[in-house]
Amino acid sequence: MYFYSDNQKIKIPNSLFLHKIGSGKEANVYKLNDKVIKILKNKKLKCIQNKKECHLKLTNINTKQIILPTKLYYDKNNLYMANESLYVKPSKKTILQYSLEEMIYNMENLEKDIIEISRNFIRIKDLYISNCVLGDYIYIVDFGYFKIDIDELKNNNWLKLKEMNEYSLKVFFINTLIETLKNQNTDEVYKYYLRSIKEKIALSELLKEKNDINKIYSKVK
């Protein structure tokens, strides 16, 4: 198989297809050495090409734990067909295997990444635990549904976009925590963090508070 990138013809080895590590609505995902190659599925051509502008923008954003594409691949007709990103090796099974201190560190880094993404008017969409890798750190690895927020771009209001992206992060954390703590008092956990969303408290700061909710988190492993 051949792709094109930066006006160069690049051969993708057939062995790539022996190392499939995932599949979603948008792409089949393969591991190639220390890289991940996501080959877009044959959906409506217009839909795929609309993503090109967003994904191309993502290649120029520097983040630490939100894994973004580093290169886009095209076919001989210059149609967007695939992308390349860094492979992250999973090492933990649940979010509760991180200590509370590690969670605070992870959320601080993710919040910094969100600032960088928001400054570029990118809206984070569909954030679920299945879109993450739990490795040495918590990584968000699926950028397939990220999109350029045209309305906020026109208004030049990246701060509003940052609030929406932070909201997505908090909802992700709540849903993941509740699913993991399903045998615990999840109603209390949910209500506490939901209240924090409405008050727009940074999640990393919320985790630093000395309260019963974080005691539940830090004790359950």
Side-chain angles (χ1 to χ4, degrees):
M1 174 183 287
Y2 289 92
F3 283 134
Y4 295 81
S5 182
D6 299 325
N7 297 318
Q8 292 185 336
K9 187 176 182 180
I10 300 172
K11 180 175 174 56
I12 303 297
N14 291 332
S15 60
L16 173 73
F17 299 102
L18 299 176
H19 303 283
K20 188 175 183 178
I21 59 175
S23 180
K25 293 180 180 179
E26 285 210 329
N28 290 317
V29 185
Y30 304 90
K31 181 179 180 293
L32 182 63
N33 300 320
D34 62 343
K35 303 294 183 183
V36 167
I37 305 294
K38 296 180 181 179
I39 300 179
L40 303 180
K41 292 182 177 179
N42 186 21
K43 298 177 70 176
K44 291 182 180 179
L45 186 62
K46 183 178 179 182
C47 178
I48 292 177
Q49 298 316 306
N50 284 344
K51 294 182 180 299
K52 180 175 74 171
E53 182 181 0
C54 176
H55 291 180
L56 192 59
K57 195 176 185 71
L58 292 177
T59 62
N60 294 312
I61 302 176
N62 293 319
T63 52
K64 188 172 183 178
Q65 287 176 225
I66 300 180
I67 304 300
L68 301 177
T70 55
K71 184 183 295 185
L72 304 190
Y73 291 113
Y74 305 86
D75 68 7
K76 62 182 179 180
N77 297 314
N78 201 36
L79 295 177
Y80 179 34
M81 299 298 293
N83 58 67
E84 178 182 295
S85 58
L86 180 68
Y87 171 73
V88 178
K89 183 179 180 180
S91 61
K92 299 185 186 298
K93 293 183 178 179
T94 76
I95 203 166
L96 286 176
Q97 288 181 281
Y98 299 95
S99 68
L100 184 57
E101 290 73 20
E102 288 174 322
M103 279 300 306
I104 292 170
Y105 180 79
N106 273 276
M107 290 304 157
E108 286 176 340
N109 284 334
L110 286 169
E111 285 163 357
K112 290 175 183 176
D113 284 352
I114 281 175
I115 290 176
E116 292 303 311
I117 286 176
S118 302
R119 284 183 185 276
N120 287 272
F121 297 97
I122 302 296
R123 176 79 164 93
I124 294 176
K125 302 284 287 184
D126 294 317
L127 185 56
Y128 302 104
I129 193 64
S130 59
N131 298 335
C132 298
V133 170
L134 304 180
D136 293 336
Y137 304 102
I138 298 172
Y139 296 93
I140 298 171
V141 297
D142 190 349
F143 47 83
Y145 287 96
F146 288 16
K147 70 174 187 177
I148 298 174
D149 194 308
I150 301 299
D151 291 335
E152 300 310 328
L153 179 60
K154 289 179 179 178
N155 296 328
N156 196 29
N157 189 356
W158 72 271
L159 290 173
K160 182 178 178 181
L161 190 55
K162 180 175 84 74
E163 287 184 0
M164 290 191 291
N165 285 336
E166 286 177 336
Y167 179 90
S168 294
L169 179 64
K170 290 175 184 177
V171 170
F172 156 72
F173 177 82
I174 290 170
N175 289 339
T176 302
L177 186 60
I178 288 175
E179 178 62 25
T180 310
L181 290 172
K182 57 187 175 183
N183 295 323
Q184 305 295 319
N185 189 355
T186 55
D187 285 343
E188 184 183 5
V189 174
Y190 183 82
K191 290 176 182 177
Y192 184 84
Y193 283 110
L194 183 63
R195 187 164 64 250
S196 79
I197 289 176
K198 294 178 180 178
E199 296 170 358
K200 298 178 180 175
I201 300 172
L203 188 52
S204 59
E205 293 301 317
L206 187 67
L207 288 170
K208 293 176 185 177
E209 291 184 0
K210 297 185 183 300
N211 57 63
D212 291 338
I213 302 298
N214 290 343
K215 287 178 184 177
I216 291 173
Y217 175 86
S218 60
K219 286 181 180 179
V220 180
K221 299 296 177 189

